[in-house]
Amino acid sequence: MTHLVEMTGVQKSFGGVHAVDGANFHLDAGEVVGLLGHNGAGKSTLMALLAGALPLDAGSIRVDGRPVAIRSPRDARRLGIEALYQDLALADNLPASANLFLGRELTGRFGLLDEAAMERITHEVVHRVNPAFRDFQGPVKSLSGGERQSIAIGRAMHFEARVLILDEPTAALGPAETREVGRLVGRLRDQGLGIVLVSHDLHDVFRLSDRVVVMKAGCIVASRRTEDTHPDEVLEWIIAGAQRDAARGTPVRPESV
Amino acid sequence: MQTGLDPRTLGLGIAGLGIWLLLDFASDGLFLSPRNLYNLAVQSSVVGVMASGMVLVITARHIDLSVGSVLAVTGMVIALLQAEGVAGSGLWTWPAAVAVGLVAGAVIGASQGWWVAYRAVPAFVVTLGGLLVFRGAAYLVADGRTVAPLAASFGALGGGVAGSIGETASWWLGVAAIAGFAAVTARARTAERRHGFAPRPRWLDAARVAAVALAVGGFVAVMNAYPRPQSDLGRGIPVPVLIWIASALVVALLFRATRFGRYVSAIGGNPQAAVRAGIDVRRVTLGVFALMGVLAALAAVITTARLGAGTNSMGTLAELNVIAAAVIGGTSLAGGRGSIAGAALGAVLMQSLENGMVLLGASSAVRQIAIGGVLVAAVWVDVASRGRSEAA
Ligand SMILES: Nc1ncnc2c1ncn2[C@@H]1O[C@H](COP(=O)(O)OP(=O)(O)O)[C@@H](O)[C@H]1O
Ligand SMILES: [Mg+2]
């Protein structure tokens, strides 16, 4: 069966650090994958490779079973892969509509920006995500973490993303906003998106995901349907690695913690 | 709802007005005479042309210290082609010489931008090097000679005796400008309504149009009040001021209404977000420096036309006035925020200080001290206000 996204044997090193070391990862449409692992396990790097923010050292990526070359964020977006980063990468000095359309602005006659159209669409889309959103005029600097996130999620919705990468989406949010993100993730999944939820919060992941994938030292060490596992077992994988490296089928030495 | 009035620009206008009245008082009414205001307008245009480019450079979190030297070298090229030609090519017409100068400015700017964008050398270093390199190159163009005479019709670009468009044309142009501004305002209202937004209150837009009409009308009246030599006919708007206004409008359009300008702002606001949004940050950066180079060459056109010659010391220390104009005009050295209109006001303010101090008989040493002080004070205001808005 073909997956929406399939990453095979991907590698990425920074100098001597093997941040991603031959990981195999896949994602299906209408599925929420919780990607877990210690700090430094390589989760963000793996997702950056998928989002085109970093070039691959080795390995391959398929989308709908077709091999693709993702060399830049632009390439990724063209394939319907949107990422929402840990640090909520928005241009703080620009208003909501400029951020939602950043890199894909609507233009009218003479190639001039069609601000009115972009604002109108931003109102519609962001209100669908977050009916309480108010400040469309000011720079996004003054918005709350949740409001900023509604812009980023609105971006994915408007451009009809098929894959949404949420890297620690709740790290900057309060409890109410965290629940709101959870609700949105569910809604987007029901619309058929494949969603990767990067987190080190076991509770979040168990609440929201259909499948749990664990990374350790740059490798995928476990992948299990959420309903078939238990937080204690996952914690064990995170700390010690799985009995077998699920991805490569090679044994992983349990490390002393 | 936005008022569309940047409080900084407004504050700057009020401060400028205060300085004008002070200088006028101190100079027994010389400062605000039509003759001096005409000269002030012409003098401001050189800094003004470059200041709009500097707004983009600084907004993108860079700096260009080389603009005075780029002005000198491109000005020498423009002068040499007209006065002597090169390699036995005969004399060039001034439009051809100007075209070569502008292209040279673009190439110089792009090459500096290449070092900044593709080789990651800080702009401060690249353009500090450029400040020396291009000052030296300006000397080498004609072995340090002053190059003259330039084509007679070229002098008009400098705002001299034949360098203004006369009373009637000035009034018509003023009326056209006011009508244009009103039309743009009206269009914006229609567009907002069409997209289901409430436009600004009608009285506010009307007040804006009225303010612009007053400013334009006043400007034309003053320029017309300065007569041509041995004549009752007023001079009207100086050509270099038209060059300045036209270039500032083009740069403002680029900055506010195109993808390029949007990307400049985004890079200044959060370079990482810009990269992740698929923006080619390096190409945009190179473009910003190329644009700055073209504007330095355009300032060189005005400078050489005013002097009627090319000298290798043209534009010395211009970078300080240009940067000060941009920063005084509300462009943040932290990047991400800039105003073309503010920079124009800043250019007038810097030139007013210079001009006023000359009227009051201040030596060039004293003027340097004052300009240096103003530069530091302007940046301090920027830093202090940023601190406040971040604390808020
Ligand atoms: N840009 C980078 N330069 C150098 N090392 C990096 C860079 N990004 C990540 N790393 C290293 O790669 C490893 C994996 O990091 P990361 O993917 O951020 O892990 P995670 O998101 O799971 O916490 C870490 O050892 C980290 O220090
Ligand atoms: Mg991470």
Side-chain angles (χ1 to χ4, degrees):
Chain A
M1 118 158 214
T2 62
H3 299 292
L4 174 54
V5 169
E6 190 170 7
M7 305 174 80
T8 312
V10 293
Q11 293 182 20
K12 181 72 195 177
S13 306
F14 299 103
V17 181
H18 299 287
V20 173
D21 196 9
N24 299 324
F25 176 84
H26 69 90
L27 176 71
D28 289 319
E31 174 187 49
V32 177
V33 166
L35 184 57
L36 285 158
H38 268 314
N39 249 340
K43 309 181 294 293
S44 293
T45 306
L46 182 69
M47 289 303 111
L49 295 172
L50 181 56
L54 293 170
L56 282 173
D57 288 349
S60 64
I61 302 177
R62 286 165 182 271
V63 172
D64 291 328
R66 271 192 307 278
V68 293
I70 302 179
R71 295 195 193 83
S72 68
R74 205 173 276 264
D75 289 345
R77 287 173 153 202
R78 220 174 278 131
L79 292 163
I81 301 168
E82 289 276 342
L84 201 165
Y85 293 94
Q86 199 161 3
D87 47 8
L88 301 172
L90 298 177
D92 273 337
N93 56 328
L94 299 177
S97 67
N99 270 293
L100 194 137
F101 282 93
L102 194 58
R104 287 176 292 202
E105 290 78 6
L106 301 180
T107 53
R109 267 190 305 171
F110 313 119
L112 298 182
L113 298 177
D114 190 347
E115 296 281 10
M118 289 193 282
E119 269 191 45
R120 178 174 52 76
I121 293 169
T122 303
H123 273 254
E124 285 169 14
V125 175
V126 173
H127 268 158
R128 247 191 292 153
V129 178
N130 178 356
F133 197 100
R134 283 287 164 270
D135 185 7
F136 286 95
Q137 299 290 335
V140 299
K141 178 169 33 194
S142 50
L143 301 181
S144 73
E147 287 173 319
R148 293 159 63 91
Q149 199 139 45
S150 359
I151 297 171
I153 292 178
R155 172 155 69 195
M157 285 170 63
H158 175 65
F159 290 101
E160 297 180 344
R162 308 176 60 209
V163 177
L164 181 60
I165 301 164
L166 300 166
D167 193 346
E168 310 269 2
T170 56
L173 304 185
E177 288 177 326
T178 300
R179 275 196 300 279
E180 185 61 24
V181 168
R183 203 178 54 79
L184 270 168
V185 164
R187 232 169 71 193
L188 293 170
R189 184 230 348 247
D190 295 343
Q191 289 173 18
L193 272 78
I195 298 171
V196 187
L197 179 67
V198 181
S199 182
H200 50 232
D201 184 333
L202 269 177
H203 175 73
D204 266 3
V205 167
F206 266 82
R207 202 163 45 86
L208 299 173
S209 70
D210 304 305
R211 186 157 59 93
V212 178
V213 172
V214 179
M215 269 190 101
K216 186 173 175 59
C219 296
I220 307 284
V221 294
S223 165
R224 190 73 60 86
R225 294 192 54 76
T226 310
E227 59 196 27
D228 297 340
T229 182
H230 185 272
D232 291 341
E233 188 184 23
V234 172
L235 201 60
E236 180 73 18
W237 290 333
I238 292 173
I239 293 167
Q243 281 304 253
R244 301 176 59 77
D245 178 339
R248 292 195 294 191
T250 51
V252 170
R253 266 187 307 280
E255 285 159 62
S256 50
V257 183
Chain B
M1 198 79 252
Q2 277 185 320
T3 59
L5 286 178
D6 176 11
R8 275 168 172 277
T9 313
L10 201 65
L12 182 62
I14 292 167
L17 226 53
I19 288 171
W20 274 24
L21 292 176
L22 264 176
L23 288 172
D24 192 53
F25 178 74
S27 65
D28 287 328
L30 272 182
F31 184 80
L32 288 184
S33 65
R35 175 194 149 90
N36 192 56
L37 289 177
Y38 182 95
N39 287 332
L40 178 63
V42 172
Q43 290 158 359
S44 303
S45 55
V46 172
V47 170
V49 162
M50 293 191 282
S52 54
M54 194 62 81
V55 169
L56 269 67
V57 173
I58 296 178
T59 299
R61 295 198 185 182
H62 294 296
I63 194 78
D64 191 342
L65 300 173
S66 72
V67 292
S69 299
V70 175
L71 185 161
V73 70
T74 52
M76 286 307 293
V77 168
I78 291 166
L80 190 77
L81 290 176
Q82 289 179 62
E84 301 176 11
V86 276
S89 69
L91 302 189
W92 291 48
T93 62
W94 71 256
V98 165
V100 172
L102 295 177
V103 170
V107 170
I108 289 171
S111 64
Q112 296 196 89
W114 182 83
W115 281 102
V116 176
Y118 291 88
R119 286 295 169 266
V121 182
F124 175 78
V125 174
V126 171
T127 60
L128 188 60
L131 179 138
L132 292 172
V133 167
F134 299 113
R135 184 62 63 188
Y139 184 93
L140 290 181
V141 169
D143 293 318
R145 281 177 297 120
T146 292
V147 179
L150 307 185
S153 55
F154 181 63
L157 302 186
V161 174
S164 54
I165 62 173
E167 288 190 33
T168 321
S170 296
W171 280 123
W172 279 117
L173 206 61
V175 169
I178 297 166
F181 184 75
V184 168
T185 305
R187 270 182 62 112
R189 293 183 70 87
T190 337
E192 297 212 321
R193 239 187 251 106
R194 184 156 43 84
H195 287 280
F197 300 129
R200 270 196 290 264
R202 191 181 297 275
W203 67 265
L204 191 58
D205 272 342
R208 276 159 54 90
V209 172
V212 165
L214 209 66
V216 171
F219 175 66
V220 171
V222 171
M223 295 298 114
N224 281 350
Y226 179 37
R228 293 181 194 272
Q230 287 102 42
S231 155
D232 295 335
L233 291 175
R235 298 204 182 203
I237 303 172
V239 175
V241 172
L242 292 179
I243 295 175
W244 173 19
I245 293 171
S247 67
L249 284 177
V250 169
V251 177
L253 194 72
L254 270 177
F255 189 37
R256 289 276 163 237
T258 69
R259 288 194 168 149
F260 171 74
R262 175 61 44 87
Y263 297 165
V264 169
S265 293
I267 291 168
N270 185 346
Q272 259 201 335
V275 170
R276 286 164 174 184
I279 294 170
D280 190 341
V281 172
R282 293 186 292 191
R283 207 170 68 191
V284 173
T285 304
L286 189 137
V288 169
F289 279 93
L291 176 67
M292 187 69 250
V294 172
L295 292 169
L298 194 60
V301 170
I302 298 174
T303 304
T304 48
R306 257 183 89 201
L307 292 173
T311 74
N312 58 60
S313 66
M314 293 182 293
T316 302
L317 295 181
E319 56 279 352
L320 293 184
N321 284 309
V322 172
I323 292 167
V327 173
I328 288 174
T331 297
S332 169
L333 280 170
R337 176 167 53 81
S339 159
I340 306 286
L345 280 181
V348 173
L349 201 67
M350 290 307 291
Q351 204 58 52
S352 298
L353 291 175
E354 179 98 32
N355 173 303
M357 285 188 291
V358 171
L359 281 186
L360 298 178
S363 67
S364 76
V366 170
R367 299 205 303 271
Q368 280 184 14
I369 291 171
I371 300 287
V374 169
L375 180 61
V376 174
V379 174
W380 173 72
V381 169
D382 170 44
V383 172
S385 72
R386 213 185 311 139
R388 244 200 328 277
S389 72
E390 259 156 34

